[in-house]
Amino acid sequence: MNTAGERGAAPTIKLEALTKFYGPNRGVEDLTLDVRAGEVLGFLGPNGAGKTTALRLLMGLLRPTSGSAEVMGFDSMRESVEVRRRVGYLPGDPALYSNRNGNELLKLAMRTRGLDHAPLAEQLIETLNAPMERDIRKCSRGMRQKVALVLALGHDPEVLVLDEPTTGLDPLGQRAMLSFLRERAEAGRTVLLSSHILSEVEQVCERVAILREGKLKRLDTVEALREEKFRQVTVDFDGDPPSFEGAGDYEVISQEARRMVVRVRGDARELLSVLAAAQITDVSIMEPSLEEVFLEYYRDGGSP
Amino acid sequence: MRALTIDLLGRSWFALGWWMVGLLAMGAYVVAIYGSLSGTDELADLWELYPESIRELVGDVNIGTINGWLQLEFMSWIPLLLGMYGGIFAAGNISREAETRTVDFVLGLPVSRIEFMASRLAVGIINIGAICGGAFVLLAVQVPLMGYESSPDRYALALGNAFLLGAALFCGYAFIASFIDEQARVIGIAIGGTLVVYIATAALRTASAPDVVRWLSPFEHYRAADAMSGRAIDPGSLAVLAVAALVAGAAALYWYNRRDLAA
């Protein structure tokens, strides 16, 4: 197996004006993005945003209406076998043969890949406590997810394409999985994961692609998204709150006798200059969580 | 593809085993009861009482002989059983894979869609061959054991014809399964379709329908009665079935490679 290239080299995953319509319904439209080696990119969006469609297009399970998807230079449709050789793919809500157990499926997966053993399988089985001896039909949703993760990632793929990887996992399993993803990224692997669990995206992803109604609304680093958005300022006054006229773009979230919570967009200096003239006993400025940023993008269906 | 084919063979042997047990029990029963009927004049009279459509379907045989009896009670049923087996196999291993989305697991491995479908076609055809082979062994062994004259060459020819018919029907159902992701619907189509076309073949023969119309039915190319009576089977019929299997199999491969596999 080739080792992943140095970070910053040619993109490992490349989507170019990728478009998929199901009849008149839009799956994704004009989706363009790159993911480089060693990077973890998160696809964020609510149900129906097009996350799964984009991943299935990348894996060659769907035919694009137009545009293209590539993994390590291989076209997802024309060279799908080469793509799958390099990718560990976890579908959303993975289905496995119910009359088999995880070990049997792992053997099938390794035989198909032409490998004698799965180098990371043991580590994953131990980390996730995956029930590989149990028939799939006797596995709970979470157990099935663990087995599917071992099957998808046990061969140490160069590219990890994961559709909601922590769904069904218990908190320990979720934490172990996220830690494993960070570790793989540090080892130079490329990770593309979709999720609507914002906290996990925030923990592992450097960049986030926000999809809405099949279109890419934003592609940026988690930091940049946070920074350019609002801050939440909580101010305690020794007396009545001052007039906030001239404090820039702000919104009062709550106001009590001597405490105000204000949401400020963009530059906070104007607000701070207003506050400087007031009798303040305490002030705290909180960065938004990714969840709050995300909700801004989806609020009322409009763009922020 | 080799790994997928071996895996599917392993998964399908249990169900195949039960199909073979049923078919072979039926064959053994037919051979066994011949002893109590053979040599009776009423058997020939009974044949004359059969409706013309059934006699047309069974073919021109003398049911007073062991081979004629086998044609009536065993060989003429095999196409129906093979058609149903092929339909159920296609539904269970093509439609169901998409319906339950286990195909996502397989196509997450370095396997092309063509390899996926080809493994299904290969195992289905191998299993149909195993059923026909099992039937041949049964007749070749049990008929002489029961004290009757064995005709392995006739059995081989008739069952070879049955194999080609079974393969053609299976490939046709595999094509249907390549675009219907619902196991129950494909089973319904396969069983209903097999019965309707089988009965329609008899009706068309009875009504002396034009050859070109009759030619369209795959059962029209099943000529086991000729083989069991010691006559040669028209090579054209064998060729038609082989070509039909190839065309339907190619159509299944083509369509499965073209289609979307939506979540």
Side-chain angles (χ1 to χ4, degrees):
Chain A
M1 186 182 291
N2 297 329
T3 53
E6 192 177 323
R7 189 163 174 186
T12 307
I13 295 173
K14 187 175 180 184
L15 308 183
E16 190 76 45
L18 191 62
T19 299
K20 176 67 185 176
F21 276 86
Y22 302 100
N25 301 319
R26 180 169 52 210
V28 292
E29 187 173 6
D30 201 25
L31 183 57
T32 298
L33 59 85
D34 291 347
V35 192
R36 294 178 186 278
E39 185 180 9
V40 185
L41 180 99
F43 260 147
L44 271 179
N47 297 334
K51 306 185 299 289
T52 295
T53 295
L55 299 189
R56 293 179 81 80
L57 285 163
L58 185 65
M59 291 305 296
L61 296 171
L62 296 174
R63 285 189 165 272
T65 306
S66 62
S68 66
E70 287 180 8
V71 174
M72 301 182 81
F74 294 102
D75 183 87
S76 289
M77 279 314 301
R78 284 182 284 106
E79 298 163 300
S80 60
V81 175
E82 292 306 319
V83 168
R84 290 168 193 158
R85 207 180 298 286
R86 288 158 177 80
V87 171
Y89 171 57
L90 178 82
D93 192 11
L96 301 168
Y97 296 120
S98 60
N99 56 349
R100 298 295 196 80
N101 67 36
N103 283 329
E104 291 167 341
L105 292 172
L106 185 62
K107 274 185 196 158
L108 170 64
M110 292 309 109
R111 270 204 305 271
T112 310
R113 292 188 179 281
L115 299 173
D116 294 333
H117 74 293
L120 286 181
E122 282 305 317
Q123 182 194 335
L124 271 165
I125 292 167
E126 195 176 322
T127 305
L128 295 171
N129 195 21
M132 301 300 281
E133 304 283 347
R134 189 182 289 217
D135 276 1
I136 298 298
R137 66 169 158 258
K138 293 177 183 166
C139 287
S140 67
R141 170 75 179 83
M143 289 174 176
R144 201 155 30 94
Q145 184 81 359
K146 290 176 179 179
V147 173
L149 282 163
V150 173
L151 299 176
L153 307 178
H155 62 290
D156 190 12
E158 292 160 273
V159 181
L160 292 73
V161 176
L162 310 169
D163 196 349
E164 304 192 354
T166 59
T167 303
L169 298 184
D170 52 51
L172 282 178
Q174 287 179 8
R175 189 187 298 175
M177 191 60 225
L178 297 178
S179 165
F180 175 82
L181 293 181
R182 279 194 296 268
E183 188 186 297
R184 298 325 300 154
E186 281 163 17
R189 305 308 191 230
T190 307
V191 183
L192 174 58
L193 70 90
S194 90
S195 180
H196 56 252
I197 303 172
L198 301 154
S199 57
E200 75 182 25
V201 171
E202 199 166 13
Q203 284 178 59
V204 294
C205 296
E206 293 149 41
R207 285 198 302 156
V208 176
I210 297 181
L211 293 179
R212 189 176 68 207
E213 293 170 359
K215 290 189 171 178
L216 181 64
K217 302 308 291 184
R218 189 67 198 268
L219 175 64
D220 216 328
T221 62
V222 171
E223 287 306 310
L225 281 170
R226 282 204 200 114
E227 278 172 11
E228 82 174 44
K229 294 298 168 184
F230 54 84
R231 291 164 187 77
Q232 191 160 297
V233 181
T234 305
V235 193
D236 290 321
F237 299 97
D238 185 15
D240 293 333
S243 164
F244 273 58
E245 204 152 310
D249 185 4
Y250 73 94
E251 177 189 355
V252 177
I253 302 298
S254 68
Q255 182 166 7
E256 296 164 21
R258 296 190 172 191
R259 167 175 283 194
M260 278 185 81
V261 180
V262 183
R263 180 177 286 171
V264 186
R265 288 182 188 280
D267 193 342
R269 279 177 296 190
E270 290 171 323
L271 174 71
L272 293 173
S273 65
V274 170
L275 292 176
Q279 297 285 322
I280 296 171
T281 58
D282 196 8
V283 64
S284 67
I285 301 177
M286 285 171 58
E287 282 202 340
S289 68
L290 192 59
E291 180 160 353
E292 287 163 316
V293 174
F294 177 78
L295 288 173
E296 281 284 293
Y297 272 92
Y298 286 90
R299 189 166 286 147
D300 302 326
S303 54
Chain B
M1 180 184 157
R2 190 160 159 261
L4 283 188
T5 304
I6 292 169
D7 179 69
L8 184 56
L9 272 173
R11 280 195 289 131
S12 65
W13 74 266
F14 187 79
L16 174 68
W18 278 106
W19 274 88
M20 288 186 71
V21 165
L23 184 70
L24 299 187
M26 175 182 148
Y29 174 70
V30 168
V31 175
I33 63 169
Y34 179 69
S36 62
L37 299 169
S38 62
T40 58
D41 294 337
E42 288 83 355
L43 208 54
D45 296 340
L46 177 67
W47 181 236
E48 291 303 318
L49 292 173
Y50 270 73
E52 189 187 350
S53 59
I54 291 183
R55 281 187 283 136
E56 284 288 344
L57 203 55
V58 173
D60 182 16
V61 289
N62 175 3
I63 66 166
T65 65
I66 180 68
N67 286 337
W69 175 252
L70 286 172
Q71 169 60 20
L72 170 66
E73 297 293 353
F74 187 62
M75 293 295 188
S76 61
W77 292 101
I78 283 184
L80 283 177
L81 296 173
L82 291 181
M84 290 177 190
Y85 176 80
I88 291 169
F89 184 90
N93 293 288
I94 300 170
S95 298
R96 186 166 184 272
E97 293 260 15
E99 185 177 14
T100 60
R101 291 187 44 216
T102 46
V103 71
D104 287 3
F105 163 64
V106 180
L107 293 183
L109 303 170
V111 169
S112 69
R113 295 169 187 224
I114 286 185
E115 287 173 318
F116 173 83
M117 178 57 91
S119 68
R120 271 59 193 156
L121 291 172
V123 174
I125 289 171
I126 288 170
N127 288 356
I128 287 167
I131 291 173
C132 294
F136 172 79
V137 171
L138 172 89
L139 297 180
V141 170
Q142 196 190 357
V143 169
L145 275 179
M146 298 292 290
Y148 309 118
E149 189 182 345
S150 179
S151 310
D153 54 336
R154 297 185 188 187
Y155 309 151
L157 190 55
L159 288 164
N161 192 177
F163 167 72
L164 287 175
L165 174 64
L169 290 170
F170 164 63
C171 290
Y173 294 135
F175 172 62
I176 291 170
S178 73
F179 57 85
I180 297 180
D181 295 345
E182 200 181 322
Q183 182 183 16
R185 270 174 71 192
V186 175
I187 289 176
I189 290 169
I191 292 179
T194 299
L195 287 170
V196 166
V197 176
Y198 190 66
I199 292 164
T201 305
L204 290 171
R205 283 181 185 171
T206 309
S208 300
D211 285 351
V212 67
V213 176
R214 289 167 49 182
W215 189 88
L216 292 172
S217 166
F219 295 105
E220 183 64 25
H221 305 286
Y222 180 59
R223 296 289 180 182
D226 290 339
M228 295 301 278
S229 302
R231 298 185 295 271
I233 292 182
D234 176 13
S237 287
L238 301 180
V240 165
L241 292 175
V243 169
L246 286 172
V247 169
L253 288 169
Y254 175 80
W255 182 252
Y256 206 73
N257 194 40
R258 295 284 309 166
R259 60 164 295 186
D260 280 336
L261 290 162

